[in-house]
Amino acid sequence: MVRKAPREDVTEDGLQVGPPKEWAAGLPAVTGSLRMAHAQMGVGRTLATLARVNQGNGFDCPGCAWPEGEHRSPAEFCENGAKAVAEEATTRRITRDFFARYGVAELAGRTDYWLGQQGRLTEPMHRPAGADHYVPVTWEKAFALVARELRALATPDEAVFYTSGRTSNEAAFAYQLLVRRLGTNNLPDCSNMCHESSGSALTETLGIGKGTVSLADLHRADLIFVVGQNPGTNHPRMLSALERAKRNGARVIAVNPLPEAGLLRFKNPQRPSGVLGRGTTLADRFLQIRLNGDLALFQAMSRLLLEAEDAAPGTVVDRGFVQAHTHGFDAWEKSVRALDWADVEEATGLERPAVEAAVGDVLGARSVIVCWAMGLTQHRNSVATIREVVNFLLLRGNVGRPGAGVCPVRGHSNVQGDRTMGIYEKPAASFLDALRDEFGFEPPRRHGLDTVEAIRALRAGEAKVFFAMGGNFVSATPDTAVTEAAMRRARLTVQVSTKLNRSHAVCGTEALILPTLGRTERDGDRFVTVEDSMGMVHASRGRLAPASPHLLPEVAIVCRLARELFGADPHVPWEEFERDYDVIRDRIAQVVPGFGDFNARVRAPGGFALPNAPRDERRFPTATGRANFTVNALEVLRVPPGRLLLQTVRSHDQYNTTVYGMDDRYRGVRGGRRVVFVHPGDLAERGLADGDPVDLVGEWPDGERRAEGFRAVAYPTARGCCAAYFPETNVLVPLDSVAETSNTPTSKSVVIRLAPAGGAGG
Ligand SMILES: Nc1nc2c(c(=O)[nH]1)N[C@H]1C(S)=C(S)[C@@H](COP(=O)(O)OP(=O)(O)OC[C@H]3O[C@@H](n4cnc5c(=O)[nH]c(N)nc54)[C@H](O)[C@@H]3O)O[C@H]1N2
Ligand SMILES: Nc1nc2c(c(=O)[nH]1)N[C@H]1C(S)=C(S)[C@@H](COP(=O)(O)OP(=O)(O)OC[C@H]3O[C@@H](n4cnc5c(=O)[nH]c(N)nc54)[C@H](O)[C@@H]3O)O[C@H]1N2
Ligand SMILES: [Mo]
């Protein structure tokens, strides 16, 4: 399983590596975003578009899910939000001539970067069986074709319906309704690869699969942990929130194997002093942890807190809270007291005094928030790790009061909303009951396939139709060679997309591209709604003219397919849904808790907050009716001699599989992406020098996996760990290497070795 390096992934000047940056944003963030926006959109369109991002009367940024807050600044976007907007609002277009020129085989040999640079998709395209080229197709014929293939299935469970997290609430609700009307719960989504571990752990322990803090909580916290997250690149507006918290007296502890620029110092580009001055030091303390060391760290901190309680009884543990609101404290306490410090030091790579110092901060803080993202969710023991974060917070009653709680920072701008709308392969019985009562049909009860299971089903020939509402399934999923072969076995693959990507090129026997509107574009006089990472629901209204007159909004695509499938449906008024999204919202209000009076409340400026029992009432709707302490075994991930633990991360110039450019400014990389960041000591031990060409090789029982043509970069990462960008390294993540319970691919802990480039040995 070898993946050759495609050729467009270095710039003409070639790859250049300098020292990493020690601060984030500032003037380069402003010039960087404007340069990219001008290249894609031109100057006039850039100004008109960026002025509308995250404004009350504008559209929700298609970048990340960070909330906007009550006082929106006139420029409520960030460098990377601007890039996300430019990527969508580009004036470049892909027409039928493009597909006449490039066949599927040739497109499959291109990089994600090249594919994305070609511009917006403009009309529905069909790749007939046996053909190499897509040809234009009418919308009517496209829907008839999908319906024909769905009807030909032995059971609806032979179809898979993926969703990426940009889909609006209205489109997501209609989509899951269509899928369940058809008779399956096969609704995998990008969450399965993202925050599923958070959802699993939080539902079990706190009774809600979401965070329990608002932006106001963050502003008033005494201590904020930022764990396994690179906000300078992936949630830049979070830096402003951290800066504000710091001005209010908060301390920040960063826990990361990499000294990410955004965590160290921040120059707020929205204030003159930020563009020109020294900026704000964000992290008061940096714990440079080994990959996958966090479970051990949180247990160790809890253990030290228990010892502090022993020394001064009644001062550390919030007994009142523990007794009134939690379950399982004693068993957990016993397990944590048995913790072995040697294991902690081996797992974390941290010395005990560093952990003690952090615990000193905890003892000095009345309210603590822990924020995290993919650094915690994409390991084998991720669910256990996040449960341990919860234990640590519960100990001092740091859940369900102002300035305290859990803050899983979501990725895609509406990934949380899509789940709320029912995009879930394991829906709760109560949700299905509500659907049944509202629409008068019996939804399927059997749980469906998640992302990894869907790939297995495609590989086995058990899934035959693959339909994607956005995203880039082929590039985003693990084990590229396995996934590509699985996708090619499908009878029909359908992609509802704004931009060209690998999933159009690596497709089934027959394939369809259904081009759709993006967030920035006008959808008649309609608006859609989204939910941010903190459970605020608000409207989003695009203003730009659509990229082509032949695009359909996602809602229309769902509704027209439904009409083709169900004819005059006695259960769902699809035509009305398509015409008037208020009608969909009225139905959502009937089905989804917290959406009562949806149409009125979402028209209020800023939208509304969804109920959150732990946050609002310190109520924990778990199996025990209380917040659960859980016992989680510490198993140190031991890497065999000579091997390294690889994490696959995002560069500063990408949005998941969408690659905007070849630079990773904060990490000092320019002009290319095939780099692997390794500790200088680990390089020296292998007789390698900075700049040496290497291949990354994973050894697995079912064969080697190799990503070729990388350059070793000496980098101040934690010892024994290394980092490289995805999607290039997805070839190294085995499909069966997943987190327990959440089934999330272990993209942040892959054992590899560095082999001489092109050689078979190593
Ligand atoms: N511009 C931009 N914005 C984005 C995205 C994008 O691609 N580009 N993607 C969006 C999406 S879908 C998501 S989910 C988020 C992702 O946001 P992040 O989670 O910030 O993204 P990653 O690049 O995966 O970075 C993981 C971070 O965790 C650290 N880390 C890795 N493993 C460990 C570990 O074991 N322990 C600890 N403590 N740290 C670890 C890494 O060093 C890195 O800093 O961003 C969203 N926003
Ligand atoms: N190795 C490794 N793999 C990972 C990760 C990792 O950290 N490491 N991270 C994982 C994570 S956190 C995530 S969330 C997944 C992301 O997985 P996906 O969500 O599947 O991937 P994206 O790259 O975000 O999808 C980009 C495509 O979405 C389409 N698109 C953009 N906007 C719209 C829209 O408004 N509507 C529609 N219909 N289509 C649109 C465009 O065609 C674009 O090409 O990847 C996962 N994969
Ligand atoms: Mo994500």
Side-chain angles (χ1 to χ4, degrees):
M1 293 184 201
V2 176
R3 181 76 176 273
K4 287 260 178 282
R7 291 297 88 190
E8 311 101 20
D9 63 355
V10 285
T11 57
E12 275 170 19
D13 299 341
L15 174 61
Q16 294 162 34
V17 183
K21 295 277 177 295
E22 288 182 357
W23 47 270
L27 197 55
V30 178
T31 54
S33 57
L34 289 180
R35 194 168 6 94
M36 221 168 265
H38 287 167
Q40 295 284 351
M41 307 193 269
V43 176
R45 192 170 166 94
T46 297
L47 293 175
T49 310
L50 294 183
R52 297 266 181 212
V53 183
N54 292 339
Q55 298 300 311
N57 60 352
F59 59 89
D60 182 63
C61 180
C64 71
W66 189 256
E68 276 82 44
E70 324 107 61
H71 305 292
R72 298 173 188 210
S73 80
E76 192 58 58
F77 65 91
C78 67
E79 175 191 8
N80 279 345
K83 290 183 204 163
V85 168
E87 181 78 14
E88 179 177 303
T90 179
T91 49
R92 298 176 194 166
R93 297 287 178 270
I94 293 180
T95 60
R96 52 179 70 184
D97 303 341
F98 173 90
F99 289 106
R101 176 162 171 211
Y102 296 103
V104 166
E106 183 175 355
L107 293 175
R110 298 291 182 159
T111 59
D112 291 280
Y113 173 66
W114 187 91
L115 295 169
Q117 288 296 306
Q118 304 311 309
R120 285 289 297 275
L121 295 159
T122 52
E123 64 179 320
M125 301 296 296
H126 174 216
R127 206 248 341 212
D132 185 39
H133 289 261
Y134 278 95
V135 293
V137 63
T138 62
W139 281 104
E140 291 69 30
K141 283 201 181 120
F143 292 129
L145 205 154
V146 181
R148 184 195 75 205
E149 286 300 313
L150 289 174
R151 283 200 203 97
L153 298 175
T155 118
D157 289 331
E158 289 181 346
V160 168
F161 296 86
Y162 176 70
T163 312
S164 164
R166 279 200 193 169
T167 295
S168 66
N169 289 334
E170 290 74 11
F173 186 81
Y175 183 50
Q176 63 82 32
L177 190 60
L178 176 149
V179 172
R180 297 198 162 105
R181 219 18 219 96
L182 195 66
T184 179
N185 283 310
N186 284 347
L187 283 158
D189 71 344
C190 65
S191 267
N192 298 146
M193 299 178 267
C194 184
H195 265 295
E196 196 71 59
S197 304
S198 310
S200 301
L202 297 175
T203 303
E204 179 188 344
T205 56
L206 300 180
I208 187 165
K210 307 178 180 183
T212 68
V213 299
S214 66
L215 205 48
D217 289 318
L218 213 80
H219 292 154
R220 71 168 78 132
D222 292 334
L223 178 62
I224 302 167
F225 281 87
V226 182
V227 190
Q229 199 197 339
N230 179 20
T233 286
N234 298 312
H235 304 93
R237 286 178 300 116
M238 179 178 174
L239 300 186
S240 313
L242 291 175
E243 187 190 38
R244 179 152 166 202
K246 294 215 62 163
R247 274 191 273 131
N248 294 342
R251 285 176 73 76
V252 173
I253 300 183
V255 184
N256 203 303
L258 298 175
E260 306 283 27
L263 293 172
L264 303 181
R265 195 137 37 88
F266 172 48
K267 300 189 183 184
N268 192 336
Q270 301 190 351
R271 288 193 288 125
S273 64
V275 175
L276 303 171
R278 282 200 77 245
T280 314
T281 303
L282 284 184
D284 300 279
R285 201 177 289 290
F286 172 44
L287 296 179
Q288 187 163 33
I289 196 165
R290 285 207 174 124
L291 288 170
N292 197 47
D294 306 271
L295 189 153
L297 172 67
F298 279 92
Q299 284 190 345
M301 289 196 296
S302 294
R303 158 76 169 273
L304 292 172
L305 290 172
L306 290 170
E307 286 176 8
E309 170 80 6
D310 296 343
T315 63
V316 176
V317 177
D318 185 341
R319 295 282 173 198
F321 173 76
V322 168
Q323 264 156 31
H325 294 289
T326 73
H327 174 268
F329 178 79
D330 295 344
W332 171 75
E333 177 183 19
K334 200 164 150 229
S335 77
V336 169
R337 284 193 187 273
L339 192 64
D340 178 353
W341 271 100
D343 282 351
V344 171
E345 289 185 2
E346 188 183 356
T348 62
L350 299 169
E351 305 279 341
R352 184 165 168 157
V355 182
E356 284 169 349
V359 168
D361 293 345
V362 177
L363 286 169
R366 232 199 78 65
S367 53
V368 180
I369 290 176
V370 181
C371 304
W372 71 87
M374 296 304 101
L376 282 201
T377 63
Q378 299 175 332
H379 301 275
R380 193 181 54 75
N381 59 354
S382 282
V383 177
T385 300
I386 295 161
R387 284 196 300 237
E388 211 52 66
V389 170
V390 171
N391 291 335
F392 163 81
L393 289 170
L394 291 178
L395 177 64
R396 280 171 63 74
N398 273 314
V399 178
R401 62 177 164 77
V406 291
C407 182
V409 182
R410 299 278 159 173
H412 268 301
S413 49
N414 197 38
V415 62
Q416 187 159 315
D418 290 347
R419 221 5 113 71
T420 307
M421 291 298 117
I423 302 292
Y424 191 21
E425 75 282 357
K426 300 183 193 70
S430 56
F431 179 83
L432 297 178
D433 291 346
L435 273 189
R436 178 198 57 207
D437 296 348
E438 177 63 20
F439 295 101
F441 72 93
E442 189 53 56
R445 298 280 162 169
R446 203 161 79 102
H447 285 175
L449 303 171
D450 65 18
T451 291
V452 165
E453 290 163 346
I455 296 168
R456 289 191 189 125
L458 287 161
R459 177 176 61 183
E462 290 158 8
K464 299 186 171 75
V465 173
F466 177 89
F467 189 105
M469 186 56 78
N472 180 4
F473 192 84
V474 166
S475 281
T477 50
D479 227 351
T480 313
V482 171
T483 301
E484 291 190 351
M487 196 54 85
R488 288 189 163 115
R489 285 202 68 182
R491 249 194 239 153
L492 172 68
T493 54
V494 185
Q495 303 286 340
V496 178
S497 311
T498 52
K499 302 281 300 259
L500 188 67
N501 64 46
R502 271 192 86 68
S503 301
H504 305 116
V506 179
C507 53
T509 307
E510 265 188 280
L512 283 167
I513 300 176
L514 305 182
T516 192
L517 294 179
R519 278 284 167 73
T520 54
E521 288 162 315
R522 205 161 44 230
D523 180 3
D525 57 358
R526 291 171 285 259
F527 67 90
V528 293
T529 64
V530 294
E531 174 185 343
D532 68 30
S533 195
M534 291 176 179
M536 292 292 302
V537 178
H538 61 87
S540 173
R541 196 187 285 273
R543 301 284 175 162
L544 293 177
S548 140
H550 309 298
L551 304 184
L552 283 182
E554 289 179 346
V555 172
I557 292 174
V558 171
C559 293
R560 291 191 194 183
L561 176 59
R563 285 164 63 197
E564 185 70 35
L565 278 168
F566 311 123
D569 191 339
H571 299 288
V572 187
W574 299 105
E575 238 180 301
E576 276 180 67
F577 274 16
E578 176 181 342
R579 202 173 47 241
D580 183 355
Y581 299 171
D582 277 1
V583 178
I584 306 180
R585 284 187 284 267
D586 282 340
R587 297 307 193 95
I588 293 173
Q590 295 297 316
V591 172
V592 187
F595 281 83
D597 214 8
F598 189 7
N599 271 309
R601 285 197 297 156
V602 82
R603 284 175 163 86
F608 62 94
L610 287 176
N612 187 305
R615 174 174 80 199
D616 307 338
E617 330 160 37
R618 263 203 167 177
R619 193 165 57 76
F620 303 96
T622 64
T624 61
R626 289 162 165 251
N628 289 314
F629 280 93
T630 54
V631 174
N632 305 289
L634 168 55
E635 288 161 21
V636 182
L637 201 170
R638 295 198 165 86
V639 177
R643 279 32 178 189
L644 292 170
L645 206 51
L646 168 77
Q647 62 153 322
T648 60
V649 286
R650 294 152 172 81
S651 83
H652 196 61
D653 273 1
Q654 76 182 83
Y655 194 95
N656 300 337
T657 70
T658 300
V659 178
Y660 305 132
M662 292 297 127
D663 299 346
D664 192 4
R665 183 155 49 82
Y666 295 155
R667 300 196 184 106
V669 173
R670 286 196 177 278
R673 292 175 47 86
R674 296 185 88 84
V675 290
V676 56
F677 301 99
V678 189
H679 190 281
D682 287 321
L683 281 181
E685 251 177 30
R686 285 161 182 75
L688 290 168
D690 180 56
D692 277 357
V694 290
D695 291 347
L696 316 185
V697 185
E699 303 138 312
W700 301 91
D702 63 343
E704 268 194 353
R705 285 165 174 77
R706 184 180 279 260
E708 293 192 312
F710 280 70
R711 165 172 166 164
V713 173
Y715 201 83
T717 180
R719 230 19 231 277
C721 304
C722 62
Y725 305 127
F726 87 99
E728 289 84 348
T729 47
N730 263 339
V731 67
L732 296 168
V733 187
L735 186 62
D736 296 326
S737 177
V738 291
E740 285 159 7
T741 309
S742 65
N743 223 23
T744 295
T746 59
S747 310
K748 296 290 190 277
S749 45
V750 188
V751 177
I752 60 151
R753 70 171 200 271
L754 301 178

